[in-house]
Amino acid sequence: MNFVFISPQFPRTYWNFCDRLKKNGVNVLGIGDTPYDALPFELKSALTEYYRLDSLEDYDQMLRAVGFFTFKYGKIDWIESNNEYWLEQDARLRTDFHVITGVQADEVGRFKSKSGMKAYYQEAGVPTARCHKVTTIEAARSFLQEVGYPVIVKPDVGVGATDTWRLDNEQDLQNFFASLPKAPYVMEEFIEGDICSYDAITDADCAPLFESMTVWPPSIMDIVLEQRDLAYYVAAEMPDSLRRLGRATVKAFGAKSRFVHMEFFRLTKARKGLGEIGDFVGLEVNMRPAGGYTPDMMNFAHSTDVYQIWADMVSANQRLLPERGEDHFCVYASRRDCFSYQHSHQEILDRYGKRIVMCERMPEMNVAQMGNQMYTAHAATLEETEEFIRFVTERV
């Protein structure tokens, strides 16, 4: 099996995907823009060959790279980056090289458009926030008469909380339209709730081989805009209600043979037409693993290896790794260099000791969302999880 992995060097831990593929006997061919000598040893060891480009944005260069691998190694069986940013390009390459083990160019729209996702959620029986495609300020005011302030405006196609705003009043609305970007935007009613993700690895029939729940802060947007400290956790268990909705959403979207990250609101305030406190409401679907080091946190929380489960899905369409039966919370908390905190770095290490499983500086490109310095730890209970977050993030 020939597997072309796009940008295998980012995020840093993605070398694990390549490593597990190699262990399963897969021929792993990397395409990236990082010089070969700058790749980590673990990634070099996992790759059969690496093709460096000046820019992954240049589709002609990408075509030549995949064409070279096809000429040298034969037909390509998989093309994947596991990265939201390259989702459309991955699909285009699959279509051009007749690789049928993933989303095709004419299918990728349903995974990228936030407004387009609504129909698939409806098919799955999952309630979603009311949505309006931004056109004119008059049309927006008509929508606001239905849902009221506040509302969220965001790119119809976008990654994370980039270029997302909350509008609280008429002046905010006017300011938004005064500088309306050229890209298509959507406006959604504001939902009060926690964000809980259904994370899964699915087989070729959309059945889950692995499932997990991660609980995120209500607004990544506020973390970016207001420089708050990011803290979130992988839960030890998943509510049955989220499991049912997650599986139904996977089926509706046809999310087969993938690592998926599907976000839901867990209502903290009842909303007419959507549900009561504690009910789940669909937010958006991402056809890739959760961001940052979250896959590693899943490993720590569930005593497993999601990289191996994913590689087994690719090579055998089944889970070969047994369940281990030990589930914990795994919690991430970060700090920003521009603030002062109650507890020193050393105090955190002294207090939590061996419970800390990761502790490092974040890459510059992730700082806006994830902070400068991160700490990730095991926790036995939700109370211990919340206490860890308070200890790490309490400011002077």
Side-chain angles (χ1 to χ4, degrees), residues 150-154 164-166 186-190 221:
V151 290
I152 299 296
V153 289
K154 54 189 177 182
T164 299
W165 294 281
R166 168 175 160 163
V186 294
M187 180 179 292
E188 285 190 341
E189 64 179 313
F190 182 78
M221 174 186 67

Side-chain angles (χ1 to χ4, degrees), residues 298-341:
M298 294 174 192
N299 287 343
F300 294 126
H302 302 302
S303 304
T304 193
D305 184 344
V306 297
Y307 301 106
Q308 186 63 57
I309 296 169
W310 177 85
D312 291 343
M313 175 273 293
V314 169
S315 60
N317 192 37
Q318 60 182 308
R319 175 172 177 156
L320 303 177
L321 194 70
E323 301 280 357
R324 299 187 187 177
E326 295 180 43
D327 294 298
H328 316 271
F329 288 81
C330 187
V331 53
Y332 174 105
S334 68
R335 298 176 162 194
R336 298 185 184 276
D337 291 348
C338 56
F339 299 117
S340 298
Y341 295 86

Side-chain angles (χ1 to χ4, degrees), residues 34-304:
T34 299
Y36 180 78
D37 289 343
L39 299 178
F41 171 78
E42 297 90 346
L43 179 56
K44 290 179 182 177
S45 300
L47 296 176
T48 299
E49 188 164 350
Y50 179 71
Y51 195 112
R52 181 186 178 274
L53 303 180
D54 294 328
S55 171
L56 298 181
E57 305 271 3
D58 188 329
Y59 192 70
D60 286 340
Q61 289 189 49
M62 294 296 295
L63 279 175
R64 286 196 293 272
V66 179
F68 170 77
F69 283 147
T70 302
F71 173 78
K72 186 170 182 179
Y73 297 99
K75 188 177 187 313
I76 303 302
D77 300 290
W78 284 74
I79 298 175
E80 186 59 77
S81 65
N82 278 337
N83 190 313
E84 182 81 14
Y85 189 81
W86 304 116
L87 192 64
E88 290 177 280
Q89 183 170 264
D90 291 349
R92 187 178 174 188
L93 286 168
R94 289 190 202 102
T95 299
D96 286 345
F97 286 91
H98 308 290
V99 176
I100 61 173
T101 49
V103 180
Q104 301 296 299
D106 61 350
E107 301 174 318
V108 72
R110 71 175 184 264
F111 300 139
K112 295 290 289 183
S113 167
K114 294 178 175 63
S115 59
M117 291 178 186
K118 301 292 183 179
Y120 295 96
Y121 274 121
Q122 184 175 5
E123 180 183 333
V126 178
T128 60
R130 285 171 287 183
C131 179
H132 163 75
K133 286 188 175 182
V134 172
T135 53
T136 66
I137 193 169
E138 290 78 15
R141 287 186 179 123
S142 295
F143 177 70
L144 283 160
Q145 286 181 349
E146 291 182 47
V147 302
Y149 285 106
V151 290
I152 299 296
V153 289
K154 54 189 177 182
D156 193 24
V157 175
V159 180
T162 305
D163 298 323
T164 299
W165 294 281
R166 168 175 160 163
L167 309 183
D168 289 300
N169 50 50
E170 172 69 18
Q171 187 60 57
D172 286 348
L173 182 69
Q174 292 182 26
N175 291 343
F176 170 70
F177 272 92
S179 56
L180 181 64
K182 293 181 180 179
Y185 260 67
V186 294
M187 180 179 292
E188 285 190 341
E189 64 179 313
F190 182 78
I191 305 296
E192 294 187 50
D194 299 319
I195 296 176
C196 300
S197 65
Y198 171 84
D199 298 284
I201 298 170
T202 65
D203 69 10
D205 297 313
C206 297
L209 302 175
F210 167 83
E211 297 170 294
S212 180
M213 179 177 83
T214 304
V215 180
W216 306 80
S219 176
I220 298 293
M221 174 186 67
D222 290 342
I223 288 170
V224 173
L225 297 179
E226 301 176 15
Q227 289 199 301
R228 299 182 185 179
D229 296 316
L230 174 63
Y232 70 99
Y233 62 88
V234 175
E237 298 178 345
M238 179 190 300
D240 288 339
S241 56
L242 179 60
R243 192 185 309 275
R244 287 194 302 272
L245 293 177
R247 290 180 178 182
T249 304
V250 165
K251 284 283 189 183
F253 277 84
K256 61 182 181 180
S257 303
R258 298 199 65 78
F259 207 139
V260 299
H261 172 66
M262 301 183 166
E263 297 177 353
F264 295 79
F265 286 112
R266 183 170 56 190
L267 297 179
T268 54
K269 182 179 180 180
R271 184 83 177 186
K272 185 178 179 180
L274 293 180
E276 303 299 321
I277 293 173
D279 288 345
F280 290 96
V281 174
L283 175 54
E284 64 180 65
V285 165
N286 298 283
M287 294 296 156
R288 43 79 179 170
Y293 297 141
T294 312
D296 304 275
M297 293 171 63
M298 294 174 192
N299 287 343
F300 294 126
H302 302 302
S303 304
T304 193

